[in-house]
Amino acid sequence: MKNTTYIILFAALVFSTVGCKKFLNVTPIEAQSGNNFWKTREDVEGFTNGIYSRLRSKVAGTPQFFNGDDRAFFPALEVRGNSVSVISLDNSGANTFNALISNNMNYIVASNNRYDRLMKDIMNWKAWYDVIAASNILYQEVDKVPTSSLSDTDKKRYKAEAVFLRNLSYMFICKLFGDAVYYTEAYHSTSLPRTSQVTVMNKCIADMSAAKADLPVFYSDVNANGFRPTRASAIALLMHLNMWAAAWDSGSKTKYYESVKTLATELDTYSNYKILPVTAANTLKIFKGRSSESLFGILQDFNYGEGFSLPAGFSYYFSHYPYQGNVNKTASSMAYQSDYIKKLYPANSTDARLTTWFENYDSGSGTFQFKKFANIYSTGSGSSISVTSDDSAIIFRLPDCYLLTAEALAELGDESGARDFANRVTIAANAPLIIQSGQDLKDEIYRERCRELIGEGQYFFDLVRTKRVVNSDFTKSPMSVANLNAGAWTWPLTITAAERSANPNLIGNNFWN
């Protein structure tokens, strides 16, 4: 079987190393392969958890510090192009993040300190294709499990889960790199060129739409909710796929906005999901996961040995003791710039997010404290105590969907509906109602996404998707329209010599090459 670029035909590796997520209480699979593997529900669950392990490794790494398995995925997505000041960061980290803020990706490519290496991990799409390849194997092979061990309904659920995971991966690939190499068959071995991201989005939309009904509305196992996909998770993914496609398919925007509107109507029928008022207690619930807002995320829980690498957490950069670090860490390494943050959250606002999520929010200095991610665990004692974030990575949650819906409705000219959906979020935050019209309404919905989703890794994607990345009113590092169209918004794509040899069709992102 031929080697391919990006697709790692790694069935044997998965079967031998998947391990399990402790919170799902599944026995690890050891050295099983082929027809010997697909026998029981436990086999399928173990393989599936191996896929989640790969997804988690890509975005969160492991708890050791700067050991080669560290990640800074979601913080990097939030910081790129943002109005952020680097106060102090060790080992030339300030240079790396200042380059990221100014969209100087070539500096990062040419440099090699440990923070540069964290960014370079994002530039490699192999792990996303590992998830896709494993998902495709799951989709095909689960039908081989005897019905006496796994019902037809459960087989359909696992297949829908595989569809969700591969389409989630394609979403991130396209949002990071633009065009993608697209395939859905198991054990794929043919060299393929990159496909237009609009085409990929439409294939993903059709794929996920066809499988959505085979996912549960809610799991009876409370441990699974928020961390295994449901129909609501699929709706959130479909909303993002549609809105990303609308950004680049200029001749067909309306159909994507109409799809988001239809998806929102369905989401409203699921009574298990509700937005929570912004309080300190609810903030802890939301970012631990499994709350009524949680649609999909990746678990972190110190009590179960489920830890992320330190740089993977936003708090590592934007918080200090007692929310991050040891007792001597009295200053945050980064802070939002005062003029930007005061535009988002005016000082005289009743917005509960302002008082709940921040201390010294407009200082622009190390006294800035970000308390949105406030789940923590402590090690040591006395002067040696050290505090680490224990928040999960929440990829999709309900306010995100409401604000995407508001955006779509505003684009469709339904301004009343747009305000209604957006104000579901502002009301929960005790923030001023959105009352604008026209372009002012669209801009305010965008700013509400910035307010509500701050720190969650949505910032740069939203900046690019809405094309506000060219507007200095919305970013301190605007790019020209010509550079945007040429791909300056993408991440450089690392292609190894072995990958080029395996797939002569594979090309990088020309803007950065």
Side-chain angles (χ1 to χ4, degrees):
M1 182 175 292
K2 292 187 292 183
N3 289 327
T4 60
T5 41
Y6 38 82
I7 306 158
I8 308 302
L9 302 183
F10 63 113
L13 177 61
V14 171
F15 293 140
S16 62
T17 66
V18 287
C20 71
K21 299 270 110 224
K22 295 180 180 65
F23 73 96
L24 291 170
N25 299 315
V26 178
T27 303
I29 295 168
E30 302 294 344
Q32 299 188 74
S33 62
N35 291 330
N36 291 329
F37 177 81
W38 301 98
K39 296 295 185 183
T40 67
R41 175 189 294 273
E42 287 72 24
D43 294 341
V44 177
E45 187 69 3
F47 185 91
T48 303
N49 282 312
I51 305 176
Y52 286 102
S53 178
R54 291 175 178 275
L55 175 61
R56 175 185 172 168
S57 176
K58 176 61 180 175
V59 302
T62 56
Q64 290 74 36
F65 187 52
F66 287 120
N67 68 340
D69 196 28
D70 290 290
R71 302 290 182 266
F73 184 74
F74 290 112
L77 299 180
E78 188 72 17
V79 168
R80 186 176 175 186
N82 212 332
S83 298
V84 168
S85 294
V86 181
I87 310 303
S88 63
L89 206 57
D90 60 314
N91 198 45
S92 301
N95 292 334
T96 301
F97 278 94
N98 282 323
L100 188 65
I101 291 165
S102 62
N103 201 44
N104 184 5
M105 309 302 280
N106 284 328
Y107 172 88
I108 297 172
V109 171
S111 303
N112 199 38
N113 73 52
R114 62 193 187 190
Y115 289 98
D116 296 313
R117 291 193 291 272
L118 290 175
M119 299 304 120
K120 288 178 181 179
D121 179 81
I122 301 172
M123 300 175 191
N124 188 331
W125 65 8
K126 174 186 173 294
W128 295 114
Y129 280 105
D130 285 350
V131 172
I132 290 167
S135 299
N136 293 343
I137 292 169
L138 173 61
Y139 187 92
Q140 174 175 297
E141 299 291 348
V142 72
D143 282 333
K144 296 181 179 179
V145 179
T147 304
S148 58
S149 296
L150 193 67
S151 70
D152 289 340
T153 298
D154 282 342
K155 289 178 183 179
K156 288 181 179 179
R157 177 177 62 80
Y158 278 110
K159 291 173 78 170
E161 195 165 3
V163 170
F164 177 88
L165 288 166
R166 74 184 176 202
N167 288 322
L168 180 74
S169 297
Y170 279 125
M171 180 197 77
F172 278 117
I173 289 169
C174 288
K175 285 186 174 184
L176 292 167
F177 305 111
D179 300 344
V181 177
Y182 182 84
Y183 76 105
T184 58
E185 63 272 22
Y187 310 109
H188 181 85
S189 62
T190 303
S191 297
L192 297 173
R194 293 172 73 175
T195 299
S196 159
Q197 62 174 335
V198 172
T199 299
V200 173
M201 290 293 98
N202 278 282
K203 287 179 179 293
C204 291
I205 289 166
D207 192 32
M208 191 72 261
S209 297
K212 173 166 62 70
D214 292 327
L215 289 169
V217 173
F218 211 69
Y219 289 93
S220 57
D221 178 3
V222 296
N223 291 319
N225 287 303
F227 299 111
R228 299 288 285 264
T230 62
R231 291 182 203 175
S233 312
I235 285 173
L237 175 57
L238 282 165
M239 284 185 173
H240 276 271
L241 294 171
N242 274 282
M243 294 302 280
W244 192 257
W248 308 103
D249 193 358
S250 57
S252 304
K253 291 179 180 291
T254 299
K255 74 173 184 178
Y256 301 114
Y257 299 141
E258 290 285 0
S259 293
V260 171
K261 178 181 178 180
T262 300
L263 289 163
T265 300
E266 180 181 347
L267 183 58
D268 272 349
T269 68
Y270 299 144
S271 60
N272 297 95
Y273 302 98
K274 298 193 182 296
I275 195 167
L276 296 173
V278 175
T279 65
N282 282 341
T283 297
L284 291 171
K285 291 178 184 176
I286 291 166
F287 296 102
K288 175 50 66 178
R290 304 191 184 105
S291 77
S292 63
E293 283 192 13
S294 300
L295 302 183
F296 184 74
I298 299 171
L299 177 72
Q300 178 173 220
D301 196 320
F302 175 77
N303 290 330
Y304 291 92
E306 303 283 353
F308 295 172
S309 66
L310 285 175
F314 200 69
S315 295
Y316 179 73
Y317 310 94
F318 286 83
S319 299
H320 57 78
Y321 191 83
Y323 294 93
Q324 178 64 44
N326 61 35
V327 293
N328 296 317
K329 183 175 174 57
T330 57
S332 297
S333 299
M334 297 186 195
Y336 283 95
Q337 294 176 2
S338 179
D339 59 344
Y340 170 77
I341 205 75
K342 285 194 291 188
K343 285 180 181 178
L344 283 186
Y345 308 94
N348 59 354
S349 172
T350 60
D351 195 325
R353 293 169 296 201
L354 178 58
T355 53
T356 304
W357 294 351
F358 302 95
E359 288 176 9
N360 300 318
Y361 85 112
D362 61 347
S363 70
S365 70
T367 64
F368 176 93
Q369 179 78 290
F370 195 60
K371 302 188 296 181
K372 187 178 187 180
F373 305 125
N375 288 289
I376 59 173
Y377 67 88
S378 301
T379 55
S381 61
S383 60
S384 298
I385 194 169
S386 185
V387 174
T388 304
S389 172
D390 202 32
D391 290 285
S392 299
I394 307 301
I395 296 175
F396 299 134
R397 64 186 180 97
L398 199 56
D400 174 19
C401 292
Y402 288 162
L403 292 170
L404 286 180
T405 303
E407 186 180 328
L409 292 175
E411 294 293 343
L412 290 170
D414 181 1
E415 294 189 344
S416 176
R419 286 189 288 267
D420 286 346
F421 270 92
N423 283 327
R424 296 183 185 189
V425 181
T426 63
I427 288 170
N430 196 36
L433 295 177
I434 292 175
I435 60 175
Q436 292 85 344
S437 300
Q439 186 59 45
D440 289 343
L441 172 61
K442 296 176 183 179
D443 289 344
E444 192 60 25
I445 291 169
Y446 172 81
R447 290 190 181 95
E448 183 60 21
R449 285 187 64 81
C450 292
R451 284 188 285 266
E452 176 65 24
L453 304 176
I454 189 170
E456 296 180 44
Q458 301 275 8
Y459 176 81
F460 191 71
F461 288 155
D462 280 349
L463 197 64
V464 170
R465 178 177 57 77
T466 64
K467 308 301 173 64
R468 288 179 172 84
V469 72
V470 304
N471 190 334
S472 59
D473 288 341
F474 297 97
T475 174
K476 287 293 182 71
S477 303
M479 60 184 67
S480 69
V481 173
N483 283 350
L484 171 68
N485 293 335
W489 62 271
T490 64
W491 285 72
L493 176 59
T494 301
I495 304 174
T496 66
E499 288 173 329
R500 291 188 184 278
S501 175
N503 186 355
N505 296 307
L506 189 59
I507 58 173
N509 287 334
N510 290 332
F511 185 88
W512 299 114
N513 292 346

